[in-house]
Amino acid sequence: MSDNIPQDLKYTKEHEWARITGKTIVVGVTAHAQESLGDVVYVELPKLGATLTEGKNFGVIESTKAVSDLFAPISGTVVKVNDELTGNPSLINSDPYGQGWIVEVEPSDASQVGKLLDAAAYEPLTK
């Protein structure tokens, strides 16, 4: 198992991760995604209180190589946004599973978490 795929997170096929923290879920992009993108220069973040829909676009991440959509791993309401990314989007590169988180969501349907991939199921998608 790769060191770049934490075991305690859930993943999407689009390379977002989800950390379950009680009643909310913190969302970010995986180490694999940020390595593929290159140096992140801009992140379009949703507004506080925005409604996310599972599998739908909720923002954009721009790098020196590409522009990529961010996809919601679950449906719910944005309860926290990582405003640090506005002035320092490179946090996604330097600490994708820590300070580089993107949003925190209160799920509208907690059962959607069960559809997310565990680390073992996600790893083949990084090859």
Side-chain angles (χ1 to χ4, degrees):
M1 186 63 55
S2 170
D3 292 339
N4 280 343
I5 306 174
Q7 299 293 305
D8 62 328
L9 302 178
K10 297 291 187 180
Y11 300 91
T12 69
K13 291 178 181 169
E14 292 79 25
H15 306 288
E16 284 83 21
W17 58 261
R19 176 180 292 121
I20 300 147
T21 60
K23 293 185 178 178
T24 63
I25 296 178
V26 178
V27 177
V29 296
T30 66
H32 174 77
Q34 66 83 21
E35 287 165 9
S36 298
L37 284 166
D39 294 334
V40 175
V41 295
Y42 174 76
V43 182
E44 178 188 293
L45 300 167
K47 302 258 185 271
L48 207 57
T51 300
L52 304 188
T53 302
E54 177 191 26
K56 300 290 184 191
N57 173 304
F58 75 88
V60 173
I61 187 168
E62 291 183 24
S63 72
T64 53
K65 291 183 188 176
V67 176
S68 183
D69 288 332
L70 295 167
F71 295 97
I74 51 141
S75 298
T77 304
V78 175
V79 294
K80 212 173 192 183
V81 175
N82 188 353
D83 291 324
E84 293 285 317
L85 296 177
T86 303
N88 191 5
S90 65
L91 286 171
I92 289 174
N93 295 117
S94 62
D95 193 8
Y97 299 116
Q99 292 182 316
W101 65 277
I102 297 172
V103 293
E104 190 168 341
V105 179
E106 187 175 304
S108 55
D109 180 358
S111 72
Q112 290 176 338
V113 171
K115 297 179 192 173
L116 298 174
L117 306 172
D118 63 14
Y122 175 68
E123 185 176 28
L125 299 176
T126 66
K127 304 295 182 218

